[in-house]
Amino acid sequence: MTICPDIQRQRLIIEGIYGLLDISEETVREVLGGLTECLAMTPIADTLVFSPDSISRLHHGMGGFQAWAESGCSFYTWRERKLFTLDIYTCKEIEVNDCIVFIHNLLQIEKLSWRAV
């Protein structure tokens, strides 16, 4: 059973191992800004970039969030494992392959897994 089937919703989760030497604040902005352009989304707030490094014993890396009028996108990295997770939620239909190609090229992906819902 789908709740509110008249409301378009799509989720895309992409995880992988990146080949870049490092993920910086600028890289996070490139990922989220690039996806905004690639998917023709409308940003409604500045990109939020953060790092849990100074307070977390479990998670070291960079992350960020981009709010869109069409919903939003979260991006997280784990420096020690070169792992990233990208979660996209949108009320607008998107082309999954466009996201995968964009992320693959930008982060120099070595291994990738994804799921669309």
Side-chain angles (χ1 to χ4, degrees):
M1 170 176 46
T2 301
I3 299 172
C4 296
D6 56 313
I7 299 174
Q8 165 70 36
R9 299 181 304 284
Q10 186 176 2
R11 292 171 180 89
L12 175 61
I13 301 164
I14 303 173
E15 292 191 333
I17 304 298
Y18 59 87
L20 294 178
L21 292 178
D22 189 37
I23 300 288
S24 65
E25 179 176 337
E26 182 59 33
T27 309
V28 174
R29 292 186 186 284
E30 285 180 49
V31 167
L32 297 172
L35 282 170
T36 298
E37 290 181 28
C38 175
L39 301 175
M41 296 297 187
T42 310
I44 58 173
D46 291 337
T47 303
L48 172 64
V49 179
F50 51 84
S51 174
D53 284 3
S54 65
I55 59 172
S56 176
R57 294 171 49 184
L58 301 174
H59 180 193
H60 299 110
M62 295 294 298
F65 177 76
Q66 180 63 62
W68 297 320
E70 302 83 4
S71 289
C73 178
S74 299
F75 178 66
Y76 307 97
T77 66
W78 285 261
R79 183 177 305 113
E80 291 87 359
R81 303 295 295 274
K82 298 190 91 171
L83 172 70
F84 77 92
T85 297
L86 180 68
D87 295 320
I88 298 172
Y89 177 81
T90 176
C91 296
K92 169 185 161 181
E93 189 173 345
I94 60 172
E95 183 58 48
V96 170
N97 195 53
D98 291 349
C99 296
I100 292 171
V101 168
F102 172 78
I103 290 300
H104 189 278
N105 292 338
L106 181 63
L107 299 181
Q108 302 170 15
I109 302 305
E110 297 176 1
K111 192 176 196 180
L112 182 123
S113 175
W114 63 273
R115 181 173 182 191
V117 179

